[in-house]
Amino acid sequence: MRGDISIISKLADAGINAGIPWTEVLYGTGDWGGSPTEESVKSLNSSVKKNKEDKNTKVISASSD
């Protein structure tokens, strides 16, 4: 996630246009139910673990509920 250009662009846009450098990305299968792919989960967990190293960006894994 940290290297995903679309997420970086959303963060930059929100920071410049709204003054809030924040965005959200939803994972899963939408209205179909189910869960995200194993690859998506691994990517998210890797990004969360890098929070300790990268103080400029914080990735949070949370429920949408």
Side-chain angles (χ1 to χ4, degrees):
M1 278 184 228
R2 290 177 184 274
D4 187 328
I5 297 300
S6 66
I7 295 173
I8 294 168
S9 295
K10 285 175 70 174
L11 281 168
D13 184 55
I16 292 168
N17 294 321
I20 305 170
W22 177 91
T23 191
E24 69 179 359
V25 178
L26 303 176
Y27 285 91
T29 55
D31 292 341
W32 302 330
S35 60
T37 64
E38 185 175 346
E39 184 179 322
S40 291
V41 173
K42 286 180 180 180
S43 175
L44 174 62
N45 286 337
S46 174
S47 289
V48 170
K49 286 179 184 177
K50 290 181 181 176
N51 284 340
K52 293 177 184 175
E53 301 166 18
D54 181 358
K55 302 297 183 190
N56 294 317
T57 304
K58 185 173 183 180
V59 176
I60 300 170
S61 175
S63 170
S64 63
D65 295 340

